Amino acid sequence: MPIRLSGPRSGLVAAWLAGLALCVGVQAAGQPSSSTAFPRTADGKPDLSGIWQAVGTANWDLEAHGPRPSPVIALGAVGAVPPGVSYVGGGTIPYQPWAAAKKQENAKNWMTLDPEVKCFLPGVPRATYLPYPFQILQSPGRFLIVYGYSYARREINMVPRGKGPVDFWMGWSDGHWEGDTLVVDVTSFNDQTWFDRAGNFHSDALHVTERYTPMTPHHLTYEAVIEDPKVFTRPWTITLPLYRRIEKEAELLEFKCAELTEELLYGHLVKKPGR
Amino acid sequence: MSRLIRPLVYSGALAALLAPAILAVPVAGQQAEPAAAYAPGRTPWSDPDLQGVYDFQSDVPFQRPLELGNTVRFASQDEKAEYQRRARARSAPPPRPAAPNVGAYGAEWTPRNVVPNLRTSLLQDPPDGRLPPMTPEGLARYRALTEHRRKSLNKYDTYADVATYERCISRPMPRINQGYNSGTLIVQSPGWVAFLYEQLDTRIIPLDGRPPLDPGIRQWSGSSRGHWEGNTLVVETVNLTDKQAGFPPAELLRGGKEEPLTTGSPLGDEIAVGVLYDELGRSGYPQGNFRLTERYTPIDAQLMNYEATIDDPTTWTKPFTYLMPWRREPNYQIYEYACHESNYGLRNALSGARYQDKVAAEAAKRKNKQTSK
């Protein structure tokens, strides 16, 4: 594992460690050569394996917004929408006029329309910045991303296959390397998922190009280019950092929310006593 | 051993030198048997490489049919086929000319990846291929569960009476033969192994020797920790939820009466004899918070032995172990299993039942009016 450093003396410590590595030659191939090097696999590619999580307000609203009250009065401050800056290149999402109106309608009906409320699969890129960690497993020719949310997961095929045979909630992912960046072409979406809790949406013409680029040993830059000619006037980009979960014993815990939403979805169909 | 020096010790060339000289010779129809001789490939970080897609469909019953006595395995595929033919004929329902055979539900998307296996039961221990007796507590829970299922059958009073698999939550742990979509992808990365089951569940198991999760965290897949014993991946699981009741199949306790059963299910003959249901169409005994030990041993380039030991002293008087061979299926494409998103079956069953309640209530009201006139 890379050595984690912080504080004013970290530079000195790093220099000392680098010197030690040179002196005794303990640095094996594939290991980071200093505190600033990203881990690499035996074939020299960045090793994206690990547990990652987005921090911030992208899932609340990709665009700049002030705080808003909770739609569930009983939840008070716990359910309130925190303020946030925009994660969208250029600030706002370039909707076609009809789509801008639909977005407003979605936002008004957040509680009844947001697929996240129902524990439906979140789609891409929303899965990345949901408030749950996700884990990447990487081995030669294989990429698996498992999300902490529900049973969401994606196998990223490193041999390009083109469009998928049917539509998917999580799309159909083909990956390749461009230098140190893992580029994932995601196509074959259905039109059921949203980008956030603010009603931002897409059609089944969505094409997402994701780019995972090492920033520091514990940070990735995540970029998603969104193309959907049925909904937007031009392609637009989401950019946010991903943070490594550095707790020594970090692991994904089950969040099988299908079970947690049954009363919401089916409660009105349950037999009531005396009826 | 630290990750710094491991690659030096287990370089690819060295691993090849160390591989046993006597390799398993694959023969046609080879059976899943322990074979210490097979040395699988290694990952770049020197773990045995189990990666790829497998399936584990089986036509072997969980318990050995009583009539087979001490026969642990059939002598040949022919003998097994003949036995299956006779057993099917015995349990076939009487012919119903009015109901033409339209085939099994979903038969067109249940391509069979049945792994060849001449054994007469998946259960290997106890050696008689039969489950050990239940404890009084286990039996009481089993009877209560059966009674509840009998009362709630087809009533759909609540989603809580429906199997957790049909509610798109989880399939029972550990996995046994299932009708379809049992393809399973294994992916490894340094310190981890992931099992991606096509239906619902993904397990990501740490191999770094960390302790299990706090007992306060009960999960549908439990808390699993793995380690290597030679080329065998050993996974120990605790903290399983007791909310599932699907394992093992209750084929021998139909209505509380023991009855040898080798074939047949409510889904028809298309479903192999390994899939067995009780008379209510639900499989399984109640489960407690048991300890599960799984052993994954590759035995040749295609086959891997899967052995699972269930130690549940509150339910069973002894631990038991079953062996279910897995086979590589390189052409099996695992697709998204968006089950909860489209669970019209559950919604419509509940909705239909409430409509029937309403119709019945109105009929009762009319009857009351008539009698009071």
Side-chain angles (χ1 to χ4, degrees):
Chain A
M1 286 296 289
I3 300 148
R4 293 192 293 276
L5 300 170
S6 63
R9 293 169 66 189
S10 60
L12 279 175
V13 177
W16 178 79
L17 281 173
L20 184 73
L22 283 173
C23 290
V24 292
V26 294
Q27 204 69 52
Q31 296 298 313
S33 62
S34 79
S35 66
T36 54
F38 198 85
R40 287 184 184 269
T41 57
D43 61 358
K45 297 291 181 202
D47 184 358
L48 306 183
S49 293
I51 300 176
W52 304 93
Q53 190 163 353
V55 175
T57 53
N59 188 52
W60 287 103
D61 189 340
L62 282 170
E63 296 177 302
H65 62 280
R68 294 192 282 265
S70 170
V72 180
I73 303 296
L75 281 175
V78 171
V81 177
V85 297
S86 179
Y87 293 85
V88 177
T92 54
I93 298 171
Y95 281 108
Q96 296 173 17
W98 74 269
K102 181 171 173 178
K103 187 263 170 183
Q104 293 306 323
E105 202 53 33
N106 285 348
K108 259 184 241 162
N109 298 291
W110 170 27
M111 288 285 93
T112 48
L113 295 182
D114 185 353
E116 187 194 350
V117 171
K118 301 171 192 169
C119 181
F120 288 180
L121 284 168
V124 177
R126 191 177 184 183
T128 311
Y129 48 78
L130 283 172
Y132 308 92
F134 62 91
Q135 185 161 356
I136 298 179
L137 286 99
Q138 176 180 346
S139 74
R142 292 183 192 279
F143 264 97
L144 180 65
I145 308 184
V146 183
Y147 300 92
Y149 172 87
S150 188
Y151 43 60
R153 61 196 186 190
R154 294 155 70 197
E155 195 186 346
I156 292 167
N157 197 301
M158 297 303 280
V159 180
R161 302 168 295 183
K163 205 169 156 52
V166 292
D167 286 354
F168 305 98
W169 291 75
M170 296 297 290
W172 182 253
S173 298
D174 283 354
H176 67 274
W177 289 102
E178 287 180 9
D180 279 350
T181 298
L182 174 70
V183 181
V184 187
D185 238 348
V186 200
T187 56
S188 310
F189 286 101
N190 66 25
D191 60 358
Q192 298 293 302
T193 62
W194 282 11
F195 291 119
D196 57 20
R197 294 170 179 168
N200 287 306
F201 76 105
H202 60 86
S203 78
D204 59 3
L206 176 66
H207 173 201
V208 180
T209 308
E210 297 176 285
R211 303 174 70 86
Y212 299 81
T213 308
M215 191 198 311
T216 81
H218 298 305
H219 302 87
L220 299 174
T221 300
Y222 178 77
E223 185 187 272
V225 176
I226 311 294
E227 292 172 86
D228 185 342
K230 289 187 187 172
V231 175
F232 308 113
T233 58
R234 56 172 170 80
W236 54 282
T237 304
I238 298 168
T239 309
L240 47 84
L242 294 172
Y243 299 78
R244 190 190 293 276
R245 290 290 298 260
I246 60 169
E247 300 96 314
K248 193 163 151 265
E249 289 172 358
E251 68 180 289
L252 297 190
L253 300 180
E254 279 180 6
F255 182 65
K256 287 183 169 287
C257 51
E259 183 189 14
L260 310 176
T261 53
E262 286 181 313
E263 193 55 30
L264 172 72
L265 297 175
Y266 311 119
H268 63 293
L269 298 173
V270 169
K271 186 170 186 147
K272 303 292 185 297
R275 264 204 268 162
Chain B
M1 202 181 299
S2 90
R3 277 179 61 193
L4 285 179
I5 55 173
R6 261 177 92 168
L8 300 176
V9 175
Y10 293 115
S11 72
L14 200 51
L17 280 175
L18 292 170
I22 306 156
L23 296 171
V25 181
V27 291
Q30 181 175 337
Q31 297 308 303
E33 291 300 327
Y38 179 69
R42 297 259 164 185
T43 63
W45 56 96
S46 306
D47 281 345
D49 191 343
L50 308 183
Q51 298 180 99
V53 177
Y54 296 78
D55 204 349
F56 47 76
Q57 289 190 317
S58 172
D59 62 356
V60 177
F62 190 77
Q63 298 194 84
R64 186 182 308 150
L66 287 172
E67 63 193 7
L68 288 175
N70 294 325
T71 308
V72 172
R73 53 170 50 247
F74 294 104
S76 67
Q77 187 54 42
D78 285 349
E79 189 184 304
K80 175 176 170 175
E82 174 59 17
Y83 174 79
Q84 286 179 323
R85 194 192 57 74
R86 277 189 285 118
R88 278 207 183 89
R90 256 201 324 271
S91 65
R96 288 175 298 172
N101 184 5
V102 294
Y105 160 70
E108 72 282 3
W109 38 272
T110 57
R112 312 307 297 177
N113 293 324
V114 173
V115 185
N117 187 353
L118 289 180
R119 289 178 178 272
T120 53
S121 62
L122 296 182
L123 205 55
Q124 302 298 298
D125 183 47
D128 65 357
R130 311 283 301 177
L131 285 164
M134 291 177 105
T135 62
E137 188 195 327
L139 206 52
R141 270 189 293 130
Y142 174 73
R143 286 187 179 131
L145 186 71
T146 304
E147 190 50 29
H148 179 73
R149 283 171 179 167
R150 195 185 307 282
K151 279 188 185 151
S152 61
L153 181 67
N154 292 336
K155 286 215 173 71
Y156 288 95
D157 285 352
T158 165
Y159 50 81
D161 287 344
V162 178
T164 53
Y165 155 57
E166 291 164 51
R167 288 153 66 192
C168 303
I169 298 169
S170 179
R171 286 214 65 122
M173 275 274 286
R175 292 300 211 259
I176 51 164
N177 182 52
Q178 63 193 54
Y180 51 86
N181 292 157
S182 48
T184 303
L185 170 67
I186 298 180
V187 177
Q188 296 166 244
S189 72
W192 300 89
V193 56
F195 288 80
L196 186 154
Y197 305 98
E198 182 157 22
Q199 289 182 345
L200 298 172
D201 304 295
T202 310
R203 298 165 69 194
I204 313 180
I205 300 164
L207 306 172
D208 59 1
R210 67 180 70 184
L213 288 171
D214 185 284
I217 305 174
R218 303 275 294 270
Q219 306 201 100
W220 292 92
S221 295
S223 172
S224 297
R225 302 293 182 252
H227 66 272
W228 295 99
E229 290 180 6
N231 294 320
T232 298
L233 172 67
V234 181
V235 180
E236 306 263 5
T237 302
V238 293
N239 294 14
L240 285 149
T241 169
D242 53 9
K243 291 187 280 189
Q244 61 178 6
F247 182 87
E251 76 261 45
L252 294 182
L253 280 166
R254 298 194 145 200
K257 193 177 68 178
E258 226 183 283
E259 176 187 321
L261 175 73
T262 53
T263 185
S265 83
L267 301 185
D269 240 15
E270 290 299 310
I271 302 297
V273 291
V275 184
L276 298 156
Y277 294 79
D278 66 13
E279 62 178 327
L280 304 179
R282 294 271 182 277
S283 60
Y285 297 103
Q287 297 185 111
N289 185 4
F290 59 95
R291 170 175 283 273
L292 171 67
T293 307
E294 296 164 290
R295 300 174 64 86
Y296 302 82
T297 309
I299 58 170
D300 65 29
Q302 270 76 46
L303 291 170
M304 179 163 73
N305 272 352
Y306 172 77
E307 292 164 280
T309 300
I310 288 154
D311 186 0
D312 182 0
T314 59
T315 309
W316 303 97
T317 51
K318 271 192 289 192
F320 54 91
T321 300
Y322 69 94
L323 186 160
M324 185 176 70
W326 290 26
R327 186 176 59 191
R328 286 185 183 274
E329 296 290 345
N331 298 319
Y332 189 126
Q333 170 69 50
I334 290 181
Y335 288 106
E336 177 174 280
Y337 198 74
C339 175
H340 171 67
E341 289 72 8
S342 311
N343 199 351
Y344 300 108
L346 180 55
R347 178 180 294 273
N348 291 346
L350 291 166
S351 169
R354 295 299 77 74
Y355 178 75
Q356 286 178 323
D357 288 350
K358 195 176 139 197
V359 169
E362 281 164 4
K365 220 184 265 176
R366 274 199 304 276
K367 204 176 165 192
N368 278 345
K369 261 187 200 163
Q370 277 169 359
T371 50
S372 63
K373 265 179 197 169

